[in-house]
Amino acid sequence: MQLSVIILNYNVRFFLEQCILSVQKALQGIDGEIIVIDNHSSDDSCAMMKKLFPSVTLIENKENLGFPKGNNIGVAQAKGEYVCILNPDTVVAEDTFTKILAFAKSKTNLGIVGCKLIDGTGAFLPESKRGVPTPWVAFTKIFGLYKIFPNNSLFNRYYAQHLTPNQTGKVDILVGAFMVLKRELYNEIGGFDENCFMYSDDIDLSYMALQRGKENYYFHETTVIHYKGESTVRDGTYMRRFQEAMNFFYKKHFSKSVLFDVFMKIGAFVFSLLKKNQQKNKELLIEQYVVFTNDNLKINVEQSVDYCAGFEFFKNDLKQNYELVFDTTSFSFKAIIAFMEQNQSKNTTFKNYIYASNFRIGSNSANDIGKIIFCEN
């Protein structure tokens, strides 16, 4: 078997449904499998999986075991030569896995491969590629120096700015929303460190691959949507766990010193506080809905709506606020993702329509909880 896609779910039933639909399309022509691990969700995620995706392997944990252990449980059941760690609040393109696997097989000393990630607005997510967050690199991130000096190698390492978003190359750290590596390497490292509940586990896994002499890569030739805000609500628990995660990584991999510990406690607190303050539900007053469908599918929306049979019929005049709705039975996820990248703007939001369960889904900001709108017939 070529590829095992490991998806750890916790209370994101509708994002999970969309994710599985995109993964199934992307696995066509590939000898692969999907393994979903549910961390004791209180919604009907498991019931949905059994009803809509009975052929997908479902592991139901009896408690929330955290990101590392949940994924380790999934990989333990995997049969693929490669594994893809994938968040449930993602959408992959139809050729994502084909391209990633071809790239991975072309490397002789491969560690982990990540790809280009965008949020629900079509904007590039800089955490798609990162450097090792040493004390200095963390300092440049916390105090925004990477923004002031984006072309200076002394300050731009946190987001691996030696590479542009549209340039493939070696990086140190990949994000846990999408990581592809050989299952053999995953097991050699020991998987995600279960002593870390979440938030620094992807940094740790990437760093452990580097310590084994492997080379990690950012691959820009395929794009994946990561709604992000759905799985990272910035509340008090988030702040506490983020601080614990950063402290865990530094204590594990760097020399201990009193000054260093003080700096990291202050830095982790400031950074997590900033993240919490970024959490905002962005509401755009929609003046015009545009539904892209070529199946004469009348998707119910709130008001004023145009129906377009193809993307070429739409032109954003920037004079009013649009919500663009994509019928995913009419257009490929790859085409939808490309259109989002090309048409991102402050006056436009995007939603995907999922026919099987009759809902629209998306996110208006990387820092917001995603939005699900049920479409009444």
Side-chain angles (χ1 to χ4, degrees), residues 322-335:
Y322 291 94
E323 176 144 300
L324 308 185
V325 181
F326 305 107
D327 170 18
T328 58
T329 64
S330 295
F331 301 96
S332 69
F333 286 111
K334 179 181 179 179

Side-chain angles (χ1 to χ4, degrees), residues 160-317:
Q161 288 165 283
H162 66 286
L163 297 176
T164 70
N166 294 317
Q167 185 179 6
T168 294
K170 295 178 185 179
V171 296
D172 293 328
I173 307 298
L174 286 313
V175 65
F178 183 97
M179 307 175 96
V180 173
L181 68 161
K182 283 195 171 183
R183 180 164 57 94
E184 181 182 15
L185 176 60
Y186 187 98
N187 291 329
E188 179 186 328
I189 292 172
F192 288 108
D193 192 325
E194 295 180 10
N195 291 311
C196 178
F197 190 82
M198 63 190 306
Y199 296 129
S200 71
D201 30 54
D202 50 3
I203 300 174
D204 181 62
L205 190 73
S206 300
Y207 191 68
M208 294 291 284
L210 294 177
Q211 287 187 317
R212 280 163 175 73
K214 300 297 183 179
E215 297 172 334
N216 298 335
Y217 288 89
Y218 165 74
F219 179 73
H220 83 281
E221 294 181 30
T222 188
T223 302
V224 169
I225 302 173
H226 180 207
Y227 293 104
K228 187 179 175 182
E230 186 66 22
S231 57
T232 54
V233 178
R234 273 67 169 175
D235 57 11
T237 300
Y238 168 86
M239 291 177 66
R240 175 175 55 81
R241 285 181 177 165
F242 182 84
Q243 292 178 61
E244 290 173 352
M246 293 304 294
N247 289 334
F248 160 80
F249 179 74
Y250 283 99
K251 287 180 179 178
K252 179 176 179 179
H253 296 292
F254 294 92
S255 299
K256 184 176 176 61
S257 72
V258 174
L259 181 62
F260 175 75
D261 284 347
V262 171
F263 168 75
M264 282 315 303
K265 285 180 180 179
I266 295 173
F269 176 77
V270 171
F271 187 54
S272 58
L273 185 62
L274 289 173
K275 284 293 184 182
K276 181 184 179 183
N277 290 336
Q278 287 176 357
Q279 183 77 18
K280 58 186 185 303
N281 290 319
K282 178 184 176 183
E283 289 294 337
L284 191 68
L285 181 60
I286 303 301
E287 298 166 291
Q288 183 71 41
Y289 288 84
V290 180
V291 176
F292 294 96
T293 178
N294 57 24
D295 286 337
N296 296 317
L297 186 64
K298 297 300 180 183
I299 302 170
N300 289 333
V301 295
E302 284 74 359
Q303 58 201 33
S304 184
V305 57
D306 287 334
Y307 287 90
C308 288
F311 297 145
E312 68 274 12
F313 298 109
F314 174 74
K315 183 177 180 181
N316 191 336
D317 60 15

Side-chain angles (χ1 to χ4, degrees), residues 13-15 17 43-44 299-302 323 351-362 370-377:
R13 171 254 187 268
F14 295 100
F15 282 91
E17 179 179 344
D43 61 12
D44 66 340
I299 302 170
N300 289 333
V301 295
E302 284 74 359
E323 176 144 300
K351 300 292 183 295
N352 286 343
Y353 175 71
I354 307 301
Y355 178 79
S357 297
N358 198 26
F359 64 87
R360 309 199 313 270
I361 190 167
K371 192 171 185 180
I372 296 99
I373 306 104
F374 299 99
C375 304
E376 297 181 3
N377 294 321

